[in-house]
Amino acid sequence: MSLNKIPTKDRESFTEHLQRSNRILALCGAGLSASSGLPTFRGAGGMWRNHEATSLATPEAFEADPALVWQFYSYRRHMALNANPNAAHFALAELARKRPNFVTLTQNVDGLSQRAAHPASQLHLLHGSLFDLRCTEFYCDYSEKDNFTDPIVPALAIPKDSTQPMPSTTDNTGEEASKSLAAAMQGNKASQEGKDVDISDAGNPMPSVSPEDLPHCPRCQKGVLRPGVVWFGEALPVKTMSAVDKFVEKADIDLMIVIGTSAMVWPAAQYIEVARGRGARVAVINMDTQDGERNLTKRDWFFHGDAGTILPDILFPVIGDISAQLKG
């Protein structure tokens, strides 16, 4: 099947099933936000500077070097805030409004589903959010949701690009020096207008940050705040998992939509088989055929391509035209 092209037979059978589906479950991964241009830092090759991104997403890394971990997450917050929800986010949000018994489970922490006005009661954040915070002090239970301040503290601001004048080693007339100075002035003007240094590249300098300049708890005044994401080795949020389990166990499920995820990470991946066990047919949207076609049955659908293109298309019979939301 060619990318983003849906065979007529698959489209018709999916549409027929979608229109009569009441209880629907979606599981979303990084591929949902691909059209928004966010880096995923996925897999062993996902590097941030000279670090494997996964090595920075642990409680041990934060304890060893909270400044480095915060610089990584401040960068991710900044990137997410400068991205926009794509058509797939808006399509899921509209489906939630049209189908009260539709629930989305997202492994993404980028906040784009929330910014697409996805109804909060129908959106479960399995891995937390970049924009939630909590105190690391043992006896303090301070937490905060939806803090979109960027930078969260001045010390974590993304540095701006700055061009420096370069002296000439061969010209003694001053002409080359004048050209170099003019170029530097023009470059510095551009930096003031907001050109960020890509600090994910280890070849670019990154300012050091002292622990006292990191975000601190406004309640206890002692603990360092940490991002409200689920790190490797940590349990998924109990309240979230309980709500999801309650939905799944309440009644049969008509349709399961799996979007942009390899569905290899447990316990989130188990919900595909749980939904099947409750009678669901499964529709998978993925750019990777190997990920997408894994464990599919003859009752399922695989739509090969970008979720930002495919989801609004296949959900159109229920959600209608969402182009106005994309412009607004």
Side-chain angles (χ1 to χ4, degrees):
M1 186 198 311
S2 60
L3 194 67
N4 296 329
K5 184 176 177 59
I6 302 173
T8 301
K9 183 179 178 181
D10 288 351
R11 180 190 296 277
E12 290 177 349
S13 63
F14 178 80
T15 296
E16 180 182 352
H17 189 73
L18 173 68
Q19 289 178 321
R20 64 170 182 255
S21 292
N22 176 33
R23 289 174 49 79
I24 305 172
L25 189 64
L27 175 66
C28 306
L32 175 66
S33 297
S35 289
S36 297
L38 288 184
T40 64
F41 301 110
R42 179 185 172 188
M47 301 294 290
W48 190 79
R49 299 186 70 79
N50 288 326
H51 307 275
E52 281 196 16
T54 53
S55 72
L56 298 175
T58 68
E60 294 78 15
F62 190 78
E63 183 177 355
D65 195 343
L68 176 64
V69 173
W70 252 121
Q71 284 176 303
F72 171 57
Y73 279 96
S74 181
Y75 170 82
R76 293 185 66 186
R77 284 167 58 97
H78 182 75
M79 294 291 288
L81 287 172
N82 281 277
N84 292 312
N86 63 58
H89 296 104
F90 286 106
L92 290 175
E94 188 61 26
L95 183 62
R97 285 185 282 271
K98 291 290 195 335
R99 290 286 193 272
N101 288 320
F102 167 52
V103 166
T104 295
L105 320 180
T106 182
Q107 300 170 91
N108 298 338
V109 297
D110 52 38
L112 293 179
S113 291
Q114 298 93 307
R115 287 169 54 199
H118 195 120
S121 63
Q122 294 168 257
L123 177 68
H124 296 292
L125 310 179
L126 298 178
H127 295 167
S129 169
L130 292 170
F131 305 101
D132 293 348
L133 307 167
R134 60 185 174 91
C135 183
T136 57
E137 186 67 16
F138 185 78
Y139 292 105
C140 184
D141 62 356
Y142 177 81
S143 64
E144 183 179 349
K145 287 191 174 294
D146 298 333
N147 182 316
F148 297 109
T149 305
D150 183 34
I152 189 167
V153 291
L156 292 173
I158 305 297
K160 302 297 182 183
D161 193 11
S162 178
T163 306
Q164 300 297 325
M166 299 295 294
S168 172
T169 57
T170 58
D171 175 53
N172 58 9
T173 66
E175 182 178 355
E176 292 300 322
S178 296
K179 289 180 180 179
S180 178
L181 178 60
M185 292 175 67
Q186 184 65 32
N188 289 334
K189 180 181 179 183
S191 74
Q192 293 171 6
E193 294 171 354
K195 185 178 180 183
D196 296 327
V197 171
D198 180 11
I199 62 170
S200 69
D201 183 348
N204 291 326
M206 184 173 71
S208 60
V209 178
S210 61
E212 55 266 26
D213 291 329
L214 294 175
H216 278 73
C217 178
R219 179 181 295 169
C220 72
Q221 305 289 322
K222 183 179 179 182
V224 176
L225 296 177
R226 58 159 280 182
V229 297
V230 178
W231 281 331
F232 290 100
E234 294 182 328
L236 298 186
V238 174
K239 288 184 178 180
T240 298
M241 300 306 291
S242 295
V244 174
D245 289 343
K246 185 177 180 180
F247 173 83
V248 169
E249 294 167 2
K250 184 177 180 180
D252 286 347
I253 297 173
D254 301 308
L255 175 64
M256 175 90 189
I257 309 174
V258 182
I259 306 151
T261 176
S262 63
M264 297 290 285
V265 178
W266 287 71
Q270 72 179 331
Y271 286 111
I272 300 174
E273 292 310 315
V274 169
R276 273 205 183 100
R278 304 292 287 178
R281 297 181 68 178
V282 178
V284 176
I285 298 97
N286 206 304
M287 291 285 289
D288 188 325
T289 53
Q290 186 173 0
D291 280 349
E293 294 180 335
R294 185 185 292 114
N295 299 324
L296 290 185
T297 72
K298 293 181 178 180
R299 299 178 69 241
D300 301 331
W301 300 270
F302 173 58
F303 300 111
H304 181 212
D306 176 15
T309 300
I310 289 178
L311 262 180
D313 186 5
I314 63 174
L315 297 181
F316 180 84
V318 171
I319 67 174
D321 186 0
I322 60 168
S323 58
Q325 296 177 42
L326 294 172
K327 295 175 183 177

